[in-house]
Amino acid sequence: MAEHHRRSTAAATAALPRSHRPARYTVVSLPADRRQAEPGLVAGPFEAGGRQVSAALLTGVPGFADGPFTVDGRTAVGEVTLHNRGELLAALAAAGRPAEPSCPDGELLLRCWLALGPDGLRAADGMFTLAVLDGPDLVLVRDHTGARTAFHCRTRDGGWAVSSSLRALRQRTDVDTGLDLAAVRSFLTFAYLPGEETLLRGVAELLPGKVTWLRPDGAVRIEPYWEPQATATEEPTNRHFASELRELLEQAVARRLPAGQDAAVLLSGGVDSSLVTALAARLHDRPVRTYSISFGHELPNELGYSGLVAAHCGTAHRVLTVPGEQVAARLADTVALLDSPVGDPLTVPNLMLAEAVAADGLTVSLNGEGGDPVFGGPKNLPMLVFELLRDDPSEQARADAYLHTYRKCWEDLPVLLTGAALAELAGAPHPRRHVAPYLTDHRMPSLLDQLLHCNLRTKGAHHILTKVERLTASQGVQGRSPLFDRRVVDHAFATPAALKLRGTEEKWILKEAVRDLLPDTVTYRPKSGMRVPVQQWLRGPLSELAADLLLGPTARARGLFRPDTVETWMRGGGLLLPRHGGKLWLLLTLELWLRAYDL
Amino acid sequence: MPSITDRLVDRALRRAHDRCARPGQLLFTGRQLYWETDRALLPLHRGPHRLRYTTRPLLSPGRFAAALARHPELPVLPDRVAPRPHRPGPERDLYDYAFPRLLVCQDPAIAGMLLANRLHLEGACPIVTPERLPLEPELLAAMARADGAVVHVLHDASPAGLELFLRVREHAGPRLLVRTMGLLPRHAAALHLAALGGQVQCGADELPAELPAAERAWLAGGRTVELAAIRPSRLLRTVLRTLRGGGFAPPARPAAPTRARDTGFLTWPTP
């Protein structure tokens, strides 16, 4: 099987990113009498239905935007990287609408949509957002799992503005934005923003696997083109599920390998990144280079595992040491790269890994992201316990419990937020709305699949993948996540839930599928996650920064957080369990982000 | 005009309420507040740690109830709770996985307090009361599916508490490990908790033989210490630490705790 893939690598793998000027894009649909010049205009302005529509590339902004592409009278720009061009070209030819084999990925995706409709989007395997000028309408497409993203908002004069850069919308003079307090609450609850919400009032993020129509009258229509389906049957054997999954994993990795170039893999030493490393080493016809992180020899790390995997797979291995001083020095700039903040202490290390990959002359890095939300990683047990003890049958009860399992600042809001902020939030929509639809979706027959679905659609699309994309793109690198491949995801949801979480063994079917590739000590090691010394950083190199930022005049003037609570947390008090570091990290990230966006 | 005594109790009540809620706005029962108020009135628990002793409550339950009634703004969880109905969602896979731990809590009010503070989510551990015994076969099977699954029994330092432990151990069968994280007289003495006297007496030979004779005699004499007598933050931290499988203090005197541990008894952290 491996040999087959190696032979077909040249034909099947994604092409290298074409030489391009780093860019994001903007499209607008404005009242026809507007005569404001759009910077970077590449298409239009066209008059349609009393509107003036146009598309622009914001060159110089890190990103992979390309265009314009015009097919059947419709013009589009987008950030599109497809991993299965051959399949898509064949599908178009079979439909009697062949495309030029050398056409750009964005044009190919546009053709697929125009010729095949939602089937064409479903068939596309890749990372993309596409913005189509469709008469006076703007049509926006985000890929299946959310590897790339974009945002939209109304303009002051009743038009629409869309961009793959949130900052571009923030900087528009015809858009009224300000801080959305409800989004602040969501961020403090989840450590990221789990749905359409952004921290800019009136600006929404695209949802993955969906097509969004923006109408001139202000109406928004969202239609899903792909959603994982739980279609498990008990008939096939465990071996059948594992071997099918293995085949899909090999395809997913092979498609994402860079043709004619060494491949980079970010290797934490966990089973997910290890299996991607092992498959890449087997399937690529060029060397594979692996990259790991250490926070210093005196702190716990997983270098033993990552070193073992690197040696086992024969990769060129490089360990980056990320001292707390570096984190302190680079945190502000790193947070500023994110369109929505994530309270993830690995942002600076992730950025430094992307820099290392870029410095080695590579443009594609693979990672093991996705194993947990797709195959049943940790954190499901508390929700099963909740269900075992559940005395409230309302749908709301499950969603509320889910908020608590995040263990961020949800419980602390009454003492963390100021009275004014709490009063303003009294009528705001509840954060449970982001998770409740998934946790009460009876099309998913099992609790576990509901939890995985929720995790895929919230954390996967709005935290993991967007963070990877923004940080890698800033270095001109494409971060690719084979475990989020939509066929792999489809297969995972078609697999009986008890094969994903088998007893207490998490991701059992995934481990079973790759058991021969890795040493058992790696495959069946207990899950530990990347242990980040946040508390040490906050007591040491980040203590001054944290105090200045969180207790300084700017934060006090903004009036979001109670200084007495922040001070208590900084002294190590006020909480039953020692989670001060993680909570303060959230506040610090938010404060830096707000400053970066001048809010 | 309240009497001086009432004013003293009121002040102690408010102070105790504040202490019980710390840190992090904990929720607690009226009974837990009673014991904390008693300590606020007469802080005998602050004696030297090297001395092992229990105290006697100074505050009468009636006077405490009257004080609490004067302060409806001080919220407490109920001391009497009805059995919780079990109303899971319609999904059928709840028992298809494994539960590696379970906590049986003797006092339904304390169980309610642990749940209200979401300890079951934090520790990923179901918390049930004796009313749910015998455990349903599906749950026992799901526990047996986890290697090394443990049933923890949280109980008072009382003959009834020890009896519950023995009953759970018998019910769980040989496939599950049953451990007590309940109070023993030595823990109550180490924590300087207040003991209730005049409870139902029993024969020392009716108590587990593994307990040292002095502790058996102490319990047989009709003395008990309630779980509610432990400050809420200490109780929550200790239970969570025990569920996660670590953080036990070494025994002060190896001989007796070792014998106790042979039967599943574990020590509480020394104060």
Side-chain angles (χ1 to χ4, degrees):
Chain A
M1 193 189 298
E3 189 55 34
H4 161 75
H5 280 299
R6 193 174 291 118
R7 281 198 305 272
S8 60
T9 293
T13 52
L16 278 175
R18 297 185 317 140
S19 175
H20 75 288
R21 289 175 297 168
R24 299 286 186 195
Y25 65 80
T26 297
V27 296
V28 295
S29 171
L30 302 172
D33 56 356
R34 273 282 292 279
R35 288 293 176 263
Q36 182 181 329
E38 295 289 331
L41 210 62
V42 292
F46 308 115
E47 295 271 337
R51 294 272 147 169
Q52 176 182 281
V53 292
S54 62
L57 291 185
L58 309 170
T59 52
V61 183
F64 291 92
D66 200 4
F69 320 108
T70 300
V71 177
D72 297 345
R74 291 181 179 87
T75 297
V77 290
E79 295 195 55
V80 183
T81 301
L82 296 173
H83 304 316
N84 64 337
R85 290 178 55 88
E87 277 179 28
L88 299 177
L89 288 166
L92 285 173
R97 306 276 296 275
E100 189 63 39
S102 61
C103 72
D105 283 358
E107 181 186 327
L108 182 55
L109 184 66
L110 178 62
R111 286 182 181 278
C112 284
W113 179 54
L114 293 175
L116 307 170
D119 285 344
L121 297 177
R122 265 192 293 279
D125 179 8
M127 316 188 286
F128 53 82
T129 62
L130 188 69
V132 186
L133 311 182
D134 187 11
D137 293 349
L138 300 180
V139 186
L140 314 170
V141 184
R142 190 177 178 194
D143 63 68
H144 303 69
T145 52
R148 287 198 173 136
T149 195
F151 309 89
H152 60 84
C153 64
R154 293 286 277 172
T155 60
R156 199 176 296 122
D157 50 10
W160 285 107
V162 177
S163 181
S164 56
S165 162
L166 189 75
R167 193 182 295 278
L169 296 180
R170 168 73 177 147
Q171 289 169 344
R172 288 187 70 91
T173 55
D174 59 351
V175 171
D176 286 323
T177 58
L179 180 61
D180 185 340
L181 203 54
V184 170
R185 181 167 65 180
S186 296
F187 175 75
L188 294 172
T189 303
F190 296 98
Y192 63 94
L193 296 173
E196 287 183 289
E197 216 172 18
T198 71
L199 281 167
L200 297 185
R201 193 176 51 242
V203 180
E205 184 172 9
L206 293 184
L207 295 174
K210 295 186 172 56
V211 182
T212 302
W213 274 267
L214 306 179
R215 305 285 197 202
D217 62 2
V220 179
R221 182 161 61 93
I222 299 176
E223 288 188 3
Y225 67 85
W226 178 82
E227 202 63 47
Q229 308 288 322
T231 53
T233 65
E234 297 295 338
E235 285 166 19
T237 62
N238 298 354
R239 198 58 244 159
H240 164 85
F241 282 111
S243 62
E244 248 186 21
L245 176 58
R246 172 62 170 272
E247 178 77 23
L248 291 169
L249 289 170
E250 294 195 2
Q251 288 173 14
V253 171
R255 284 172 171 168
R256 285 163 177 78
L257 291 169
Q261 191 185 89
D262 293 1
V265 184
L266 309 187
L267 175 61
S268 71
V271 68
D272 303 335
S273 60
S274 297
L275 79 89
V276 171
T277 301
L279 287 171
R282 270 198 165 198
L283 301 173
H284 202 30
D285 49 10
R286 297 283 302 257
V288 171
R289 304 191 203 182
T290 45
Y291 298 81
S292 297
I293 297 172
S294 158
F295 296 113
H297 296 302
E298 71 282 6
L299 295 167
N301 61 58
E302 311 225 311
L303 295 181
Y305 288 109
S306 57
L308 177 64
V309 172
H312 185 81
C313 300
T315 65
H317 191 50
R318 186 173 162 190
V319 177
L320 265 76
T321 300
V322 183
E325 290 74 14
Q326 286 251 27
V327 175
R330 306 206 51 192
L331 186 59
D333 289 343
T334 307
V335 170
L337 292 171
L338 302 169
D339 290 59
S340 290
V342 292
D344 176 344
L346 284 170
T347 46
V348 172
N350 285 157
L351 179 64
M352 292 175 68
L353 284 171
E355 287 173 347
V357 170
D360 285 347
L362 309 184
T363 56
V364 172
S365 70
L366 275 60
N367 58 62
E369 303 285 2
D372 290 345
V374 176
F375 288 98
K379 300 181 183 169
N380 297 308
L381 187 56
M383 285 306 292
L384 295 174
V385 168
F386 162 78
E387 206 64 26
L388 187 70
L389 300 179
R390 183 173 175 178
D391 58 354
D392 179 353
S394 73
E395 293 188 335
Q396 177 180 315
R398 190 183 285 171
D400 287 352
Y402 193 74
L403 299 188
H404 289 295
T405 62
Y406 258 82
R407 298 175 180 173
K408 303 302 179 193
C409 291
W410 172 238
E411 287 99 350
D412 308 303
L413 293 179
V415 293
L416 175 61
L417 295 177
T418 59
L422 288 170
E424 200 178 327
L425 281 168
H430 198 284
R432 79 167 74 86
R433 74 189 187 284
H434 296 299
V435 297
Y438 304 107
L439 299 176
T440 55
D441 182 357
H442 300 307
R443 287 173 300 178
M444 293 283 169
S446 70
L447 276 167
L448 188 80
D449 282 327
Q450 288 177 7
L451 293 166
L452 296 182
H453 190 205
C454 188
N455 214 0
L456 175 76
R457 283 315 200 194
T458 55
K459 190 168 182 178
H462 297 277
H463 173 177
I464 299 171
L465 285 168
T466 43
K467 179 192 73 170
V468 166
E469 197 273 338
R470 297 287 139 162
L471 295 180
T472 52
S474 75
Q475 302 304 311
V477 173
Q478 289 190 7
R480 299 179 178 178
S481 310
L483 299 186
F484 274 114
D485 177 284
R486 63 108 178 144
R487 289 183 183 125
V488 170
V489 177
D490 275 335
H491 185 271
F493 278 88
T495 301
L499 295 186
K500 284 171 273 192
L501 178 56
R502 189 169 172 116
T504 53
E505 186 71 44
E506 291 146 357
K507 301 183 278 192
W508 183 83
I509 193 70
L510 182 63
K511 294 170 181 173
E512 192 69 7
V514 299
R515 200 170 51 171
D516 61 311
L517 291 178
L518 296 166
D520 278 359
T521 46
V522 172
T523 308
Y524 296 105
R525 58 176 286 203
K527 173 81 182 178
S528 67
M530 178 69 78
R531 282 180 288 182
V532 188
V534 175
Q535 194 66 55
Q536 286 98 315
W537 289 346
L538 285 169
R539 284 202 202 105
L542 268 91
S543 64
E544 211 168 295
L545 177 73
D548 286 351
L549 286 174
L550 299 179
L551 297 170
T554 307
R556 285 176 192 263
R558 195 178 290 113
L560 280 178
F561 305 122
R562 279 173 46 177
D564 58 333
T565 299
V566 175
E567 280 179 57
T568 305
W569 287 1
M570 290 180 98
R571 285 198 309 269
L575 297 170
L576 181 73
L577 301 173
R579 297 236 166 91
H580 306 81
K583 290 175 195 282
L584 288 168
W585 191 267
L586 277 192
L587 306 189
L588 189 56
T589 306
L590 180 62
E591 179 63 29
L592 286 169
W593 192 92
L594 293 174
R595 290 180 188 219
Y597 277 75
D598 195 23
L599 284 163
Chain B
M1 184 74 177
S3 67
I4 291 177
T5 311
D6 283 349
R7 289 199 331 247
L8 277 174
V9 172
D10 285 3
R11 200 172 67 171
L13 176 73
R14 284 191 295 270
R15 207 178 323 141
H17 196 279
D18 186 44
R19 282 182 193 159
C20 279
R22 279 185 293 171
Q25 315 95 58
L26 304 178
L27 302 172
F28 47 89
T29 66
R31 191 68 176 165
Q32 287 177 301
L33 181 58
Y34 163 72
W35 290 112
E36 193 64 43
T37 307
D38 185 63
R39 283 191 287 269
L41 279 171
L42 193 64
L44 293 175
H45 64 290
R46 288 190 183 158
H49 293 322
R50 60 192 161 75
L51 297 182
R52 306 288 156 139
Y53 62 88
T54 56
T55 66
R56 303 294 295 271
L58 173 75
L59 179 64
S60 77
R63 191 178 285 278
F64 169 76
L68 192 57
R70 286 195 295 277
H71 293 278
E73 78 282 5
L74 300 180
V76 289
L77 298 170
D79 289 317
R80 292 183 187 282
V81 292
R84 292 164 59 93
H86 182 209
R87 294 179 179 134
E91 300 80 6
R92 317 284 293 183
D93 61 322
L94 181 57
Y95 297 103
D96 288 354
Y97 316 104
F99 292 101
R101 61 192 83 93
L102 178 114
L103 176 66
V104 180
C105 180
Q106 181 188 4
D107 182 345
I110 293 295
M113 176 261 182
L114 299 177
L115 291 167
N117 287 292
R118 295 175 291 279
L119 191 117
H120 59 308
L121 299 180
E122 189 63 48
C125 177
I127 299 170
V128 300
T129 51
E131 290 90 8
R132 197 155 167 177
L133 298 176
L135 296 170
E136 54 265 46
E138 301 96 322
L139 178 54
L140 284 174
M143 291 200 67
R145 215 171 283 133
D147 283 340
V150 181
V151 180
H152 298 275
V153 184
L154 181 61
H155 60 76
D156 297 337
S158 70
L162 294 169
E163 191 274 333
L164 174 67
F165 165 67
L166 296 174
R167 184 151 57 98
V168 172
R169 190 167 62 173
E170 188 178 354
H171 167 63
R175 293 174 66 189
L176 297 178
L177 186 61
V178 179
R179 284 182 170 164
T180 173
M181 64 168 85
L183 279 173
L184 295 179
R186 80 188 73 125
H187 303 138
L191 297 170
H192 300 173
L193 298 177
L196 290 170
Q199 306 296 304
V200 178
Q201 298 192 359
C202 67
D205 54 352
E206 296 171 34
L207 296 167
E210 297 89 341
L211 271 184
E215 293 195 55
R216 273 187 285 155
W218 190 87
L219 290 167
R223 281 181 289 254
T224 64
V225 178
E226 299 175 358
L227 285 169
I230 303 164
R231 185 173 287 176
S233 57
R234 179 187 285 276
L235 180 69
L236 287 165
R237 282 185 179 130
T238 305
V239 171
L240 195 57
R241 201 161 57 233
T242 310
L243 290 178
R244 288 174 174 167
F248 303 110
R253 290 180 301 160
T258 301
R259 283 204 302 275
R261 197 176 291 153
D262 290 341
T263 65
F265 287 103
L266 294 169
T267 58
W268 280 62
T270 49

